[in-house]
Amino acid sequence: MRRCYSSGPFPESNFEGKLDLGDGMPSGSVEMKRRGNRTKAVLPVRVKGKDSAGKSFDELVHTLDVTPDGVRLGSVRRELNRLDEITVFYRQRKILFRVVWTKKMQGTSEFQVGLQAVTRDNEAWGLNFPDYRRPASQSAATQASGA
């Protein structure tokens, strides 16, 4: 089932399985492709890292949608730099992410932030992702180990 969300940096009219990298991205950015559909999930998470001013932060935010190796966060009250690494805490899990894009929400002091996992945890969100395609290197390693 193909889901398109009309809010945020993912315009419905342009959706072809490609990630729109948001308003803050320089032109000529590398186009990224998602390996599966996003799953809409509003989950409370804690994020830690350094903001664009280099100041450490630790705040509660929430997810808007997730994939096995990425997430879109909402209610982020700090401006973050693209390619910065932040840690997301969900339940007893700790996942390192890299900032892929940020978008200032109009009329608020909040940002939406797109993150890509640096570390990989198959069950990071505790959700089933049946349509997800693993990268070729991970699929080969899984088959070789007999899993």
Side-chain angles (χ1 to χ4, degrees):
M1 177 179 182
R2 189 169 132 174
R3 289 191 175 128
C4 297
Y5 302 110
S6 58
S7 65
F10 306 106
E12 186 171 338
S13 60
N14 295 344
F15 184 79
E16 295 176 5
K18 297 177 182 174
L19 177 61
D20 181 354
L21 296 176
D23 297 339
M25 300 302 296
S27 61
S29 296
V30 175
E31 183 177 278
M32 299 183 68
K33 286 193 173 188
R34 193 175 297 106
R35 288 185 277 278
N37 292 330
R38 290 176 300 230
T39 299
K40 187 172 183 172
V42 179
L43 306 170
V45 296
R46 191 173 103 218
V47 293
K48 283 178 122 175
K50 291 192 180 209
D51 63 17
S52 61
K55 185 176 179 183
S56 294
F57 69 92
D58 181 347
E59 65 182 46
L60 295 174
V61 300
H62 64 273
T63 65
L64 296 168
D65 48 53
V66 299
T67 69
D69 54 15
V71 63
R72 180 168 57 129
L73 298 178
S75 298
V76 177
R77 292 174 294 281
R78 304 288 185 124
E79 186 172 358
L80 304 175
N81 290 322
R82 187 173 168 267
L83 302 180
D84 281 353
E85 292 186 355
I86 65 171
T87 304
V88 175
F89 297 87
Y90 175 65
R91 296 186 177 168
Q92 282 72 40
R93 298 171 177 101
K94 176 179 170 180
I95 313 155
L96 184 62
F97 284 94
R98 182 171 296 117
V99 176
V100 178
W101 58 262
T102 64
K103 180 180 181 182
K104 175 99 166 72
M105 302 311 295
Q106 200 169 20
T108 73
S109 60
E110 295 181 347
F111 295 84
Q112 283 188 7
V113 180
L115 303 175
Q116 181 178 28
V118 174
T119 56
R120 182 81 164 96
D121 182 350
N122 289 335
E123 294 299 322
W125 306 111
L127 302 171
N128 184 18
F129 296 97
D131 296 333
Y132 180 72
R133 296 184 313 273
R134 286 191 175 167
S137 60
Q138 285 183 348
S139 295
T142 302
Q143 290 173 356
S145 67

